[in-house]
């Protein structure tokens, strides 16, 4: 096995586990090179929850083994995703007196201010804050400071976005990966990993909403002026559309999935008429109008929830960068057009930015999260509890007993 430096992202999804192995590109220090990918079916996740430990472990091992075999690289550690409707984000502020020499803010002052923001936040006993994203700092009377270290002032204040999740879920993530003998370097919310992979500087500065559509959940990330404003997880995904079709058309789940993939295009006018087909399990008859009505209703519901998140963030009409869709659910034909219409903004399916290597094979919506996790693994470097994101955020602090940064 090669001993060259490499980085790994593992996306544990509802239907599949995806592993991406990469390294720093020789074409530029800000680029990542995709070396290999591995994919395995996953039957151990239900509605974003790790329901069957052994099934999830097996899927992770299979995906990692495939990526390792194709690259000749041994996977010992990785950055992994966190997902599920239990994830909550909330803003908090922390204030401390500057204790650095000559009143200059030190690393310790910054850390104390962020710790104060965490302590000020009251979360239920079954929830744990596991990530902190500083939005801005205020040193004395100087507001909007991105990095306070080295700035002179008597008082330091941080405005931070906290991400909290179920203690049971986070513990289960740790337990599952312990069973695979893969060490967790960091955990990252799926939407943030997706944003890391597809957003360039211009789009995040303009303001945008990232919509990562999985099988059972949709992750929503709102950004403005290059900073994270809101992160939410909606318990609606591609499987909900399939389930609705199965009930509404009175067909099996497999037939409903086939109909969704083959006959739905939300960007076109409603197709009229009845279709009779045989999908291997007997003749199936359905109305195109019924199919459109069922799918459109679920997509409209999803769009309304995303719109509420944007409005709550105070950014309605201000997201010039539009909506960027990722995840397997965004592959439904016309989904970008439908979400754009629901939000009244331009929408597109995201493409990877600043990548080299096997880009053609991986530049698909379903691989976005795993790729973003690999990039984060590379940028984090495994040497500090503070992650520096080159494209997304000026800094992120991993918190609590779920942090494990050693390689």
């Amino acid at each position: 096995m090669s001993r060259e430096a490499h980085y790994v992202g593992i996306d544990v999804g509802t239907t599949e586990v995806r592993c991406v192995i990469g390294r720093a590109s020789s074409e530029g220090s800000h680029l990542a090179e995709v070396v290999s990918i591995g994919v395995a079916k996953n039957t151990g996740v239900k509605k974003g929850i790790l329901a069957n430990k052994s099934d999830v472990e097996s899927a992770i091992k299979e995906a990692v083994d495939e990526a390792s075999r194709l690259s000749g690289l041994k996977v010992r550690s990785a950055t992994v995703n966190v997902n599920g409707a239990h994830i909550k984000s909330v803003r908090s502020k922390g204030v401390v007196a500057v204790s650095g020499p000559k009143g200059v803010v030190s690393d310790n002052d910054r850390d104390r201010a962020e710790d104060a923001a965490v302590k000020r936040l009251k979360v239920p006993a079954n929830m744990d804050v596991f990530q902190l994203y500083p939005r801005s700092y205020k040193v004395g009377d100087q507001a909007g400071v991105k990095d306070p270290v080295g700035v002179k002032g008597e008082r330091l204040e941080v405005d931070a976005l906290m991400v909290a999740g179920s203690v049971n879920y986070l513990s289960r993530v740790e337990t599952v990966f312990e069973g695979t003998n893969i060490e967790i370097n960091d955990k990252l919310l799926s939407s943030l990993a997706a944003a890391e992979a597809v957003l360039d500087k211009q789009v995040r500065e303009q303001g945008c909403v990232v919509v990562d559509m999985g099988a059972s959940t949709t992750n929503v990330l709102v950004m403005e002026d290059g900073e994270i404003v809101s992160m939410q997880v909606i318990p609606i995904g591609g499987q909900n559309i399939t389930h609705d079709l199965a009930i509404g058309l009175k067909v099996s789940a497999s037939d409903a999935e086939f109909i969704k993939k083959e006959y739905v295009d939300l960007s076109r006018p409603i197709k009229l008429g009845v279709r009779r087909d045989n999908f291997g399990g007997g003749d199936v008859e359905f109305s195109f109008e019924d199919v459109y009505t069922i799918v459109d209703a679920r997509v409209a519901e999803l769009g309304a929830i995303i719109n509420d998140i944007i409005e709550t963030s105070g950014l309605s009409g201000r997201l010039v960068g539009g909506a960027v869709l990722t995840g397997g659910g965004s592959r439904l034909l016309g989904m970008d057009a439908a979400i754009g219409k629901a939000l009244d903004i331009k929408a597109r399916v995201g493409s990877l930015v600043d990548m080299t290597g096997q880009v053609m094979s991986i530049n698909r919506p379903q691989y976005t999260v795993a790729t973003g996790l690999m990039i984060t693994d590379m940028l984090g470097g495994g040497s500090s509890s503070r992650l520096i994101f080159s494209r997304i955020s000026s800094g992120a602090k991993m918190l609590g007993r779920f942090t494990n940064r050693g390689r």
Side-chain angles (χ1 to χ4, degrees), residues 333-353:
L333 292 178
M335 180 62 81
D336 52 346
I339 293 296
K341 181 180 178 181
L343 304 182
D344 194 26
I345 58 177
K346 63 181 181 180
R348 61 182 174 85
V349 176
S351 295
L352 300 179
V353 297

Side-chain angles (χ1 to χ4, degrees), residues 33-362:
E33 178 185 351
V34 177
V35 177
S36 66
I37 60 177
V39 184
K41 294 293 183 184
N42 187 14
T43 59
V45 175
K46 305 297 181 185
K47 298 181 179 180
I49 301 299
L50 306 180
N52 189 306
K53 178 177 175 291
S54 61
D55 286 352
V56 178
E57 286 179 2
S58 295
I60 293 172
K61 290 177 181 178
E62 184 179 342
V64 169
D65 286 348
E66 180 183 0
S68 295
R69 177 176 54 80
L70 294 173
S71 65
L73 297 170
K74 179 74 173 179
V75 174
R76 295 184 175 87
S77 63
T79 291
V80 305
N81 67 317
V82 175
N83 196 14
H86 61 96
I87 301 293
K88 306 295 179 185
S89 67
V90 61
R91 286 173 65 174
S92 181
K93 293 184 177 182
V95 182
V96 296
V98 175
S99 62
K102 299 180 181 180
V104 175
V105 177
S106 65
D107 288 333
N108 180 61
D109 292 325
R110 179 189 57 195
D111 291 342
R112 288 192 302 112
E114 293 168 357
D115 289 342
V118 176
K119 292 176 182 177
R120 182 180 178 185
L121 194 65
K122 294 182 179 179
V123 295
N126 65 336
M127 299 288 286
D128 192 24
V129 176
F130 66 96
Q131 285 180 326
L132 178 149
Y133 297 90
R135 302 188 69 244
S136 65
Y137 300 87
K138 183 178 181 181
V139 184
D141 295 329
Q142 299 181 61
V145 177
K146 294 299 182 182
D147 185 359
V149 176
V151 181
K152 189 173 183 179
E154 296 180 353
R155 182 175 180 270
L156 174 63
E157 178 180 325
V158 62
D159 177 7
L161 185 72
M162 312 286 187
V163 184
S166 161
V167 171
N168 289 336
Y169 172 87
L170 295 169
S171 296
R172 199 159 180 80
V173 171
E174 293 282 345
T175 302
V176 165
F177 274 89
E178 284 174 2
T180 66
N181 294 317
I182 297 172
E183 187 175 349
I184 296 176
N185 293 324
D186 284 309
K187 301 184 189 71
L188 202 66
L189 197 60
S190 294
S191 56
L192 189 57
E196 186 68 76
V198 301
L199 296 187
D200 60 24
K201 182 177 180 180
Q202 181 180 10
V203 172
R204 61 185 175 91
E205 290 292 340
Q206 289 175 334
C208 63
V209 55
V210 177
V211 182
D212 179 58
M213 309 178 71
S216 60
T217 61
T218 295
N219 278 247
V220 180
L221 172 73
V222 183
M223 297 192 71
E224 184 187 36
D225 295 331
E227 297 295 339
I228 303 165
V229 178
S230 177
M231 290 183 283
Q232 304 290 336
V233 181
I234 304 169
I236 297 175
Q239 285 184 341
N240 296 92
I241 296 176
T242 302
H243 180 71
D244 292 349
L245 285 171
I247 293 176
L249 303 179
K250 296 181 174 59
V251 299
S252 68
S254 59
D255 287 348
E257 183 70 14
F258 184 86
I259 291 169
K260 182 180 74 173
K261 291 179 177 179
E262 295 295 321
Y263 298 112
V264 174
D265 187 345
L266 297 172
S267 65
R268 295 183 177 181
I270 301 175
K271 190 175 182 179
L272 303 178
V274 174
R275 174 81 181 188
R276 291 180 178 85
D277 217 328
N278 189 304
F279 305 133
D283 290 334
V284 173
E285 180 178 298
F286 58 91
S287 161
F288 287 118
E289 294 169 273
D290 288 344
V291 170
Y292 179 87
T293 299
I294 292 167
V295 176
D296 184 64
R298 181 61 81 168
V299 174
E301 178 192 11
L302 179 61
I305 297 173
I306 297 171
N307 205 42
D308 286 343
I309 293 172
I310 296 172
E311 289 184 357
T312 302
S313 302
L315 297 177
S316 291
R318 291 165 52 184
L319 300 179
V320 179
V324 182
L325 276 57
T326 67
S330 67
R331 292 183 295 169
L332 185 65
L333 292 178
M335 180 62 81
D336 52 346
I339 293 296
K341 181 180 178 181
L343 304 182
D344 194 26
I345 58 177
K346 63 181 181 180
R348 61 182 174 85
V349 176
S351 295
L352 300 179
V353 297
D354 292 340
M355 299 292 298
T356 64
Q358 298 182 28
V359 178
M360 291 297 292
S361 63
I362 205 171

